Every structure is written in C-alpha cells, then in structure tokens.
Amino acid sequence: MAYSISHKEEQMIGLAGAHRTGKTTLAKAWADKNEVKFITPDVSKVIRSMGFDCADIKSLNDRLRVQRRLVEECENLFSKQRSIFVTDRTPLDVAAYTLADATQHMTHEQSKELNQIVEDCITISNSSFNSILLVQPGIPFAEEAGKPPMNIAYQEHIHTLIVGLLADNRSTVSFWDIPRDNTIHEDRVSGLSEVYNAVMLEAEYDVQGMTSN
C-alpha cells in the first residue's frame, strides 16, 4: 500500500515516546492553552473493532494485523487535517511497537510485513509532521485500569526503538526531545511551546533538535 500525504504547509507537531511518559497530558494541556486542535489515533477503539482487547493479542500474525490497521488509522486521521494540530501518537510509535514484536524465528512473510509496516510509518511521519517532540521516560507511572501493562524495562525498550527511528536516515522530520530530568508539567508545556514557536519561525535544527541561528 502506498502512502503519500502532502499537507505540511500547516504546522503539524507530533509527540513520540513510550507509554506512560506523559505525552497525552502534555499534548492536551498545550493544545488547550494555545487553542490548537488535539487529535489522537484511538488505539483501543481500533483493537476492539478487530475483536480483541490489549491482553488478547497473542499471536504475531494477529499483532501484525492490528499494527497494520493502526497504520491505516494514522494515515486516515492525519490526511484529513487541514489546520494546525498536535497529536500524542505518531506513526513512529506504531513502528516502534511493531519492531518490539520482531523475533529471530519469524517467517519470511511475517518479516516482510513487519518491515513494510515500519517503512509505511516512516513515510507517513515524513509527510505529516513538521517536527516531532520525543518525550523521554522520566516521570513515575502507576498501573491504571484499561491500560496495557507496562514496566520500566519495556518502556526503555520502546524508547530506544523510537530514538533509532528518529535517527534513521529514512526519517526526514526534525525532532526535539524533553530530557529525562524535566518532569515538571509546566516546564514541559513551555518546552512544547518553544518547539512550536521555532517551527513557526522556520528555525533550523540539527539532528539533536537544537536550534541554530
């Protein structure tokens, strides 16, 4: 399937990162403060529409089917936007969680589909976003009803995969990051504002997300 979204004349900012890093709270707070549209792919709804819940997806084939549907959800959602927006979930997040399912003993067809999902996620991210803000692990998290299980090791695993995808030369989106030691909500919101202002001013970025004059 080919993906070709081309509407980056608007300022689209995505927050990427593992679960429980505070992406949704940050994106919503910043969107409310600046009267910017907040959108999010409804992962739980997609999973339920396929007859699963998060704990039920056992086989790799089922997991790949779900990830493919999430790619389609991202493409459909982002391609319809014609105004400034911020989202708490980018296709690179989908790619990272897909890569986390890779094993040495996958079949050729499973490997082919997994790699295609990653390629499609990178393509959609390149076409959809002006900048991506990586939210690093740092804030404490607690188990919550209705959310998939999470532990620190798995959170770090997903984080590392997302960092790798951002640094991949197939990814052309400029990116910034919120450091691990920045756990104060107001400072995080201010940091997202700085990213937005820099994008609006067409600032240049280096690969580590620093501005240059």
Side-chain angles (χ1 to χ4, degrees):
M1 183 178 296
Y3 296 95
S4 58
I5 308 171
S6 57
H7 55 270
K8 286 175 68 174
E9 66 274 5
E10 301 295 352
Q11 306 304 320
M12 319 298 187
I13 298 177
L15 273 62
H19 276 79
R20 317 293 175 84
T21 53
K23 301 189 305 295
T24 302
T25 300
L26 171 56
K28 285 182 175 179
W30 183 83
D32 288 344
K33 181 178 179 180
N34 294 277
E35 299 183 342
V36 170
K37 182 188 294 185
F38 166 77
I39 63 173
T40 184
D42 193 335
V43 175
S44 296
K45 182 178 179 180
V46 169
I47 292 174
R48 289 194 302 269
S49 74
M50 299 180 70
F52 300 111
D53 66 32
C54 290
D56 284 340
I57 312 172
K58 303 296 185 182
S59 77
L60 178 56
N61 284 338
D62 285 343
R63 294 183 70 84
L64 290 174
R65 283 177 53 221
V66 169
Q67 300 292 17
R68 170 55 66 191
R69 188 71 65 83
L70 290 174
V71 173
E72 294 168 358
E73 174 74 7
C74 286
E75 194 276 337
N76 290 334
L77 180 62
F78 299 144
S79 67
K80 293 176 182 176
Q81 305 306 316
R82 292 296 181 270
S83 61
I84 298 169
F85 75 81
V86 63
T87 181
D88 62 340
R89 186 172 287 109
T90 74
L92 293 187
D93 296 274
V94 177
Y97 279 93
T98 304
L99 282 167
D101 288 327
T103 72
Q104 188 175 6
H105 305 292
M106 309 171 62
T107 68
H108 174 73
E109 289 303 315
Q110 289 171 336
S111 177
K112 183 178 178 181
E113 171 63 2
L114 188 149
N115 283 311
Q116 188 59 57
I117 288 172
V118 173
E119 289 277 358
D120 291 341
C121 286
I122 292 172
T123 297
I124 296 170
S125 291
N126 288 343
S127 300
S128 300
F129 298 101
N130 302 83
S131 190
I132 288 178
L133 178 63
L134 172 66
V135 184
Q136 298 201 46
I139 63 172
F141 62 86
E143 298 297 332
E144 297 181 37
K147 291 191 175 182
M150 177 61 73
N151 60 66
I152 293 173
Y154 188 64
Q155 187 185 57
E156 290 290 349
H157 180 48
I158 297 299
H159 168 69
T160 301
L161 289 170
I162 294 174
V163 171
L165 288 163
L166 287 168
D168 193 301
N169 61 14
R170 293 171 295 178
S171 179
T172 60
V173 183
S174 299
F175 72 92
W176 302 61
D177 76 287
I178 291 183
R180 291 173 181 268
D181 58 357
N182 185 350
T183 59
I184 299 173
H185 177 68
E186 293 77 11
D187 290 346
R188 289 176 155 219
V189 174
S190 296
L192 180 48
S193 291
E194 290 178 11
V195 172
Y196 176 73
N197 291 337
V199 170
M200 291 293 288
L201 291 171
E202 299 182 346
E204 296 180 355
Y205 310 89
D206 66 18
V207 293
Q208 295 182 344
M210 302 297 291
T211 59
S212 59
N213 297 319

